Amino acid sequence: AESLLQLADDTETRSGVRPTVAVTGRRPDNASPDVDLQLFRIAQEAVANAIRHGRPTRIDIKVSYDERQVALTIADDGCGFNAEAQTSASRDSEHFGLVTMRERAEHVGGGLRIESAPGSGTTVHAVAGMTNEWA
């Protein structure tokens, strides 16, 4: 949560858009530090993509913990894009960040889903297991 608040501060300084950060639940004591790192990197990429490509006026970052997993959602009100066309993006494409976000989520025993359409903003959902048994 502290890292996400710093990300919000940095984003506001660079772009003028202040992401909101909401956290529900409590991070388990036995949570893997790698899960924290990978989800933070996903959040960084999603926020950077929103600013770079979407021109949003609002970005909301939500984190929800339970005993077994953490869910991360980054939603913006930007211009959106055709998410279905980008799902098959490869490492060689200009959409490398989307591929990397998916790989990061899978690395920590989770997954990634992107919802977007032209004119409707973008929402990135990532879920990961919280303990070392998932990684």
Side-chain angles (χ1 to χ4, degrees):
E2 293 155 11
S3 296
L4 292 174
L5 290 171
Q6 184 62 52
L7 174 61
D9 288 344
D10 294 346
T11 301
E12 182 178 32
T13 299
R14 286 191 319 272
S15 70
V17 177
R18 171 76 185 180
T20 63
V21 177
V23 179
T24 58
R26 186 179 158 284
R27 182 183 180 274
D29 294 334
N30 65 340
S32 168
D34 194 35
V35 170
D36 293 334
L37 176 62
Q38 298 306 323
L39 290 179
F40 176 71
R41 296 291 186 222
I42 290 169
Q44 279 183 310
E45 182 69 24
V47 169
N49 284 345
I51 297 298
R52 188 177 313 118
H53 303 293
R55 299 175 306 281
T57 60
R58 180 189 52 74
I59 301 172
D60 299 317
I61 303 170
K62 297 178 184 174
V63 178
S64 177
Y65 291 100
D66 68 26
E67 313 79 44
R68 296 194 37 90
Q69 70 178 22
V70 59
L72 170 70
T73 302
I74 301 96
D76 70 68
D77 66 349
C79 66
F81 65 99
N82 184 342
E84 287 184 25
Q86 305 313 322
T87 301
S88 61
S90 72
R91 286 188 153 278
D92 298 329
S93 78
E94 65 183 33
H95 304 287
F96 176 63
L98 301 177
V99 173
T100 302
M101 286 191 294
R102 187 172 315 284
E103 289 174 350
R104 287 182 182 282
E106 290 170 356
H107 173 74
V108 289
L112 185 94
R113 186 176 81 244
I114 300 171
E115 298 172 2
S116 188
S120 69
T122 300
T123 302
V124 175
H125 302 278
V127 175
M130 281 307 302
T131 60
N132 286 323
E133 70 187 68
W134 293 91

